Amino acid sequence: DLIDIFFIGNDFGSQDGPLLGDGFFRRYVLPHLKRLISLGHQYGLKVQLHCCGGIVPLLPSLLEAELDAYHSVQPSCRDMDLKFLKDEYGDKLVFNGAIDSHHVLINGNPDYVRLKTREVLDIMMPGGGYVAGASHDYILEETPVENVAAMFDEVREYGKY
């Protein structure tokens, strides 16, 4: 009762897509992920996978393995269109992240960060299944503090279910 979620992770994607094709992924990686996901479920926990990069081609395999949540959605990667992800997988998978930490948070100003954060919330929140956050496993050190505050303020003000 001390653990809220079983959080596992590895990066299977790059900016341009998966690091492995689906065949190799299914043969060499998926059996081990299934075992970990099953272990989390045996303890009555939801299982969330951290995985950077464009991994859309791998999502069907991850769903077959009964993954519950995916962190940290990177919309700047190939095929990681938020509307597509929400429409195609939003009823099967919780998404965590999606607020662009590589471009918007680092290079934007607070007004731009608020605008882009709201755009993400508009796409990802309907129907539930979304945890707002940056599109990386942590906020990068070169991110201006005022942009981090703008993102969190916008989520707090606009991102309520």
Side-chain angles (χ1 to χ4, degrees):
D1 65 337
L2 299 176
I3 299 175
D4 295 321
I5 192 163
F6 194 72
F7 189 70
I8 58 177
N10 213 326
D11 293 343
F12 305 125
S14 71
Q15 296 293 311
D16 294 321
L19 297 172
L20 294 171
D22 190 55
F24 280 104
F25 182 78
R26 285 178 177 275
R27 181 172 179 187
Y28 295 107
V29 177
L30 194 61
H32 305 289
L33 283 177
K34 282 182 179 180
R35 193 170 35 118
L36 286 170
I37 292 167
S38 177
L39 178 64
H41 289 162
Q42 288 172 26
Y43 284 92
L45 298 169
K46 298 294 184 185
V47 179
Q48 178 172 266
L49 171 71
H50 166 80
C51 183
C52 288
I55 64 158
V56 166
L58 304 179
L59 288 177
S61 296
L62 293 170
L63 288 170
E64 286 175 28
E66 300 183 10
L67 183 68
D68 300 300
Y70 166 51
H71 171 270
S72 56
V73 181
Q74 289 185 274
S76 62
C77 295
R78 187 177 67 178
D79 296 331
M80 296 298 286
D81 177 74
L82 297 182
K83 182 154 179 24
F84 169 79
L85 290 170
K86 184 66 175 185
D87 290 347
E88 188 70 22
Y89 299 105
D91 62 338
K92 303 170 190 78
L93 197 59
V94 171
F95 291 106
N96 183 332
I99 300 170
D100 187 347
S101 62
H102 290 126
H103 303 100
V104 172
L105 290 178
I106 291 175
N107 299 318
N109 61 44
D111 289 335
Y112 185 67
V113 169
R114 283 187 200 89
L115 172 72
K116 299 309 272 184
T117 298
R118 187 174 286 221
E119 287 176 5
V120 170
L121 295 172
D122 283 340
I123 293 168
M124 300 303 282
M125 282 181 51
Y130 176 62
V131 178
S135 67
H136 198 266
D137 52 344
Y138 58 91
I139 295 174
L140 301 169
E141 65 185 47
E142 61 267 32
T143 306
V145 172
E146 59 270 17
N147 287 353
V148 175
M151 176 187 69
F152 283 119
D153 287 346
E154 194 65 23
V155 168
R156 186 185 70 238
E157 293 169 19
Y158 188 73
K160 295 183 175 142
Y161 283 102

